[in-house]
Amino acid sequence: MTGVSIRTVHDVAGLDAVSAYFSEVWRTPRTAPPYPAEVLHSLVHAGGAVHAAYEGERLAGAAVAVFGAPAAQETYSLVAAADRGLGQVVKQAQRAWALGLGARTMRWTFDPLIGRNARFNLAKLGAAGTEYLVDFYGPMADGVNDGDESDRLTVTWDLAAPGQSYDLGDREGAPATHRAPDGEPLARRDLAGLRVWCRVPDDVVKLRAADPVLALRWRRAVREVFTEAFGQGFRATGMSRDGWYTLTREAAV
């Protein structure tokens, strides 16, 4: 991308700037960043990596990753954020770093109610949602998550074969199994039992700010669908432009 560069950050000043960037994204005071500079410095010292994207000299995105258990050949992305259009650049930098050190997969978590992030992770990167975590962090007090329960979806990204897309299937003819807080269908399931579709609100961050009680109702409704489906062997493999997840599982042999 023209005018954009990626750097691995090691110095105190650079890590402080990354910490401040995360504070802006998560709307926290600069005195209480979600990832303090000293923590980032320790992670780098332990063998992790902080990648930062710059437009000219302006910091426009960053991501932090560490290695998992040696036998797993896996990395874990603790956090990633980027200005619009730069997410792919940041994740591909993480991918190249991890592959260069022998990793085969990367995992991270995100809020499953944020549809744009789901589409980026599942449709654009080709990762798959492999684990649903109920209230993973407990109460959070930042400006984005405050007042909600912190459910997260774990995604697993095959670093050797990224970018694959999955068939979303045809949900329109599938019967509804759950209703959303707005009274419309929340989830549908095909008659073969191999696909479940689940809808999320258009913009849960705005909804949380305007009506936290309604946002929490959406959280618990989507949680019910996901925990039931994951308990039956489904995983999240797609996200449509209009906010519907596709969850799939293999046919029984």
Side-chain angles (χ1 to χ4, degrees):
M1 186 175 293
T2 304
V4 175
S5 61
I6 291 283
R7 307 173 200 166
T8 53
V9 184
H10 304 89
D11 63 290
V12 172
L15 293 170
D16 187 61
V18 169
S19 179
Y21 179 80
F22 289 147
S23 281
E24 292 177 9
V25 171
W26 274 274
R27 305 173 190 174
T28 66
R30 286 289 302 274
T31 55
Y35 292 88
E38 58 269 25
V39 172
L40 298 180
H41 206 172
S42 295
L43 292 173
V44 170
H45 189 244
V50 175
H51 290 91
Y54 298 86
E55 287 186 324
E57 291 302 311
R58 185 182 71 87
L59 181 59
V64 182
V66 296
F67 264 80
Q73 293 183 294
E74 179 180 79
T75 52
Y76 191 89
S77 180
L78 295 168
V79 59
D83 293 2
R84 186 173 294 276
L86 296 181
Q88 183 79 261
V89 175
V90 171
K91 293 307 289 185
Q92 291 299 336
Q94 281 192 311
R95 172 178 173 263
W97 166 78
L99 280 172
L101 293 174
R104 306 300 296 171
T105 60
M106 180 178 290
R107 288 189 304 139
W108 63 91
T109 66
F110 73 98
D111 184 344
L113 292 191
I114 301 182
R116 65 182 180 276
N117 288 355
R119 182 164 175 77
F120 176 78
N121 291 328
L122 305 182
K124 200 162 188 178
L125 295 180
T130 52
E131 182 183 29
Y132 191 88
L133 303 163
V134 176
D135 204 18
F136 184 52
Y137 295 110
M140 300 179 72
D142 60 62
V144 174
N145 298 285
D146 193 26
D148 198 358
E149 293 171 347
S150 56
D151 289 21
R152 293 294 180 266
L153 183 62
T154 303
V155 293
T156 302
W157 193 23
D158 183 348
L159 299 175
Q164 61 181 321
S165 59
Y166 295 88
D167 180 9
L168 297 181
D170 181 12
R171 70 174 186 267
E172 294 304 322
T177 58
H178 298 72
R179 290 281 164 182
D182 62 6
E184 297 298 317
L186 172 72
R188 297 181 181 275
R189 186 176 182 129
D190 70 353
L191 296 179
L194 300 180
R195 278 193 175 88
V196 169
W197 295 271
C198 183
R199 182 166 62 97
V200 295
D202 291 337
D203 190 330
V204 73
V205 176
K206 286 184 178 179
L207 181 60
R208 266 195 294 255
D211 191 340
V213 173
L214 180 57
L216 189 57
R217 289 178 59 202
W218 272 97
R219 169 75 64 203
R220 292 172 178 172
V222 171
R223 176 192 296 167
E224 180 181 355
V225 174
F226 267 77
T227 53
E228 179 182 297
F230 273 53
Q232 296 170 356
F234 286 85
R235 63 181 194 158
T237 53
M239 167 57 80
S240 68
R241 292 188 182 278
D242 59 347
W244 284 82
Y245 278 96
T246 299
L247 290 81
T248 57
R249 66 176 175 181
E250 299 294 327
V253 179

